[in-house]
Amino acid sequence: MVQLNKNEFNEKIFTRINNLIHDYNLINEHEMIAVALSGGKDSVLTLYALKNYQNYLDFDLVAISVDEGIEGYRQHGIDAAIDNAEKLDIELIQKSFKTEEGFSLDDIYSGFKSACIPCGVFRRNILNKTAYELGADKIATGHNLDDEIQSFLMSFARGDLIKFSKFGPQLDVIHPKLIPRIKPLWNTPEKEVGTWAILNDINIHLDECPYSHLSLRAKIKEFLNNNEDKYPGIKNNIMESFQKILTFESDIPSNLNECRLCGEPTSSDICKACELKKLISENHECHI
């Protein structure tokens, strides 16, 4: 087994991230960047990488954590988020489904084919609203190379061509209330993220979400990992093909409305979060 040199590995991974930020102009001078901090390895590396990038560019950092309300799972992630934010002296804003929406994911997941459906919608909604209230210019997420490939294949399998416009290391501003996302780990393999956390003895949340096995993403992730073991380099080949096929030009509707119920940006009359809350309310009434 090859013995990794911690300093050399850190330099390699941070140089790659720094180059991505620079090449795609992900962060500009004096911007405020809100890091979506779950406490998992990807979001924690994103936090450390952006803290490191402050050595090269003057910008502000804040972190946002969202407690979805998953008993026996989520608290460790919140604890890891608090610990790492404190170590780096970065303000952490804590939100939860319970306080923001009035229910936890455990309360409502059974009404959906996959818990990932309401989880993703409400988490994104809370992150966006919080970042907007803070005056953040961008939200930095921990999406790594593996995540991007999985999302690409999921959209491909579903024939969801509109989702292709959300790929790439950054999204454009398309509505004043919709904070654009950046992905500093966009070309960093998941395996290297885990290696970084272990080499540097970083406090991270390692457990798999108990609901994740029900998702299409989990099945595609398993498929990719199995084939990467058999045919090393297949993930990079997919990513390179993906980069050649897509130009990252946005096909997202530029004429977004504001939800008539909550005022959040939406391409419809009512946003997805409000649609789901209406469905949850109806399901709750049916069980009374």
Side-chain angles (χ1 to χ4, degrees), residues 21-284:
I21 294 172
H22 177 269
D23 292 345
Y24 285 89
N25 196 32
L26 298 189
I27 302 173
N28 297 308
E29 195 92 8
H30 307 310
E31 285 187 326
M32 176 187 285
I33 309 299
V35 178
L37 188 63
S38 70
K41 63 186 187 306
D42 303 300
S43 67
V44 170
L45 173 55
T46 301
L47 191 74
Y48 276 75
L50 295 193
K51 179 69 175 181
N52 171 69
Y53 201 71
Q54 285 184 316
N55 294 322
Y56 309 99
L57 192 69
D58 182 18
F59 65 96
D60 295 324
L61 265 181
V62 65
I64 304 169
S65 69
V66 179
D67 182 353
E68 303 89 350
I70 305 174
E71 188 68 30
Y73 164 77
R74 201 70 198 91
Q75 190 56 48
H76 183 202
I78 299 299
D79 292 342
I82 293 170
D83 179 53
N84 285 289
E86 286 181 350
K87 284 178 179 176
L88 297 179
D89 194 26
I90 295 172
E91 181 184 8
L92 175 65
I93 309 299
Q94 296 185 62
K95 298 287 184 174
S96 73
F97 280 24
K98 199 75 174 179
T99 57
E100 299 300 309
E101 308 294 352
F103 47 75
S104 69
L105 186 61
D106 284 347
D107 294 334
I108 56 124
Y109 81 92
S110 60
F112 297 88
K113 183 177 179 181
S114 167
C116 298
I117 295 171
C119 185
V121 169
F122 291 122
R123 190 175 63 249
R124 286 190 295 270
N125 191 53
I126 293 169
L127 278 171
N128 185 74
K129 285 195 294 186
T130 305
Y132 178 76
E133 289 166 2
L134 291 171
D137 296 284
K138 291 161 186 170
I139 298 173
T141 66
H143 291 89
N144 58 48
L145 180 145
D146 292 59
D147 295 324
E148 193 77 348
I149 295 170
Q150 291 159 21
S151 295
F152 172 65
L153 292 180
M154 286 167 62
S155 297
F156 188 77
R158 290 168 172 161
D160 191 352
L161 301 182
I162 292 178
K163 285 284 179 67
F164 287 156
S165 62
K166 295 185 178 181
F167 297 134
Q170 63 181 332
L171 295 180
D172 296 329
V173 177
I174 58 173
H175 190 283
K177 287 186 178 180
L178 192 61
I179 310 302
R181 308 295 178 94
I182 58 173
K183 308 169 191 173
L185 309 189
W186 181 69
N187 58 349
T188 298
E190 182 178 31
K191 187 175 182 180
E192 291 190 15
V193 181
T195 301
W196 168 81
I198 293 169
L199 277 179
N200 293 276
D201 194 26
I202 304 294
N203 178 15
I204 56 171
H205 185 209
L206 285 169
D207 297 339
E208 284 284 337
C209 174
Y211 298 125
S212 65
H213 70 283
L214 300 171
S215 67
L216 175 60
R217 180 180 292 276
K219 295 174 176 63
I220 289 179
K221 179 177 181 177
E222 183 180 8
F223 167 78
L224 287 169
N225 287 340
N226 288 339
N227 280 279
E228 180 69 25
D229 289 339
K230 295 177 184 176
Y231 312 104
I234 195 170
K235 290 180 183 178
N236 277 326
N237 292 339
I238 294 173
M239 188 65 163
E240 287 175 6
S241 298
F242 156 56
Q243 287 178 265
K244 291 174 183 176
I245 292 170
L246 300 180
T247 60
F248 307 129
E249 292 181 0
S250 178
D251 291 324
I252 301 174
S254 57
N255 57 333
L256 289 182
N257 307 312
E258 290 189 5
C259 175
R260 63 180 177 81
L261 297 180
C262 71
E264 286 298 291
T266 178
S267 57
S268 304
D269 188 38
I270 298 175
C271 73
K272 198 66 179 177
C274 286
E275 280 185 20
L276 292 190
K277 279 190 275 192
K278 182 175 182 292
L279 180 63
I280 291 165
S281 177
E282 290 172 352
N283 287 341
H284 177 70

